[in-house]
Amino acid sequence: MASGDTQRTWFPEMIEMLNQTWSASMSANELLALRDRLDSALETIRSERHILPAMMWCPNCQARHRSAPPKASVRTMILALGRFGMASASEVKALEHRWNTYRKRNQLDRYGIRTGDVLVEALIGFQGLMLQGCPRILTHFEGP
């Protein structure tokens, strides 16, 4: 494993996928589909290369645990367009504004998942706790 891979989100394969797939005329649904593909690619790369998440200090149980693995959000994808020279700063700003408007109007979180659904939020929260592996948090999970 290369130095820094535990915290890396953008691997060359993902940058190439973003470069080949992204278009300024993409709809919001196409952006969400691209985000899903990039997130799946990130998960696959980290799994195949046996890259574990970075360690974190848990203030609740005073122990070190693996943090949740990084995910690709829609905003990180938009910012990556500018970072890797695929879009100008003004295009990135306009796309980010368009995404924020769409996200708020449709009550989506940063990953494009509908918020306000109690069951979905409980499952996402529980999954995050499981990934962090904090025994104190897991034993005190009360649900919605």
Side-chain angles (χ1 to χ4, degrees):
M1 170 174 37
S3 176
D5 277 355
T6 59
Q7 296 179 1
R8 177 181 265 181
T9 303
W10 292 99
F11 290 89
E13 303 94 305
M14 296 170 60
I15 296 168
E16 184 62 30
M17 180 190 303
L18 183 62
N19 191 29
Q20 290 177 356
T21 310
W22 181 75
S23 163
S25 63
M26 290 181 99
S27 70
N29 287 333
E30 291 170 324
L31 280 175
L32 291 174
L34 177 55
R35 190 226 62 95
D36 290 344
R37 286 184 53 210
L38 289 167
D39 196 50
S40 293
L42 175 61
E43 193 174 304
T44 301
I45 290 167
R46 293 180 65 85
S47 174
E48 288 174 352
R49 296 179 189 174
H50 307 289
I51 301 171
L52 297 174
M55 296 297 287
M56 61 164 252
W57 177 258
C58 178
N60 292 319
C61 66
Q62 303 294 310
R64 288 173 42 97
H65 301 287
R66 294 268 172 214
S67 62
K71 295 182 64 68
S73 69
V74 176
R75 184 166 190 259
T76 60
M77 180 183 69
I78 292 169
L79 294 176
L81 293 169
R83 176 181 174 190
F84 299 116
M86 296 172 215
S88 68
S90 60
E91 287 176 313
V92 169
K93 187 174 181 177
L95 188 57
E96 193 172 12
H97 178 72
R98 196 173 90 204
W99 161 246
N100 280 331
T101 303
Y102 181 83
R103 182 182 61 79
K104 288 175 185 174
R105 184 176 51 233
N106 292 289
Q107 298 177 336
L108 303 175
D109 68 4
R110 67 177 129 191
Y111 305 108
I113 299 171
R114 185 169 305 282
T115 58
D117 185 338
V118 175
L119 179 59
V120 170
E121 288 180 3
L123 289 173
I124 290 170
F126 186 70
Q127 181 186 24
L129 296 175
M130 292 292 290
L131 290 172
Q132 291 178 11
C134 176
R136 181 166 181 252
I137 293 174
L138 289 176
T139 58
H140 290 88
F141 179 74
E142 298 174 11

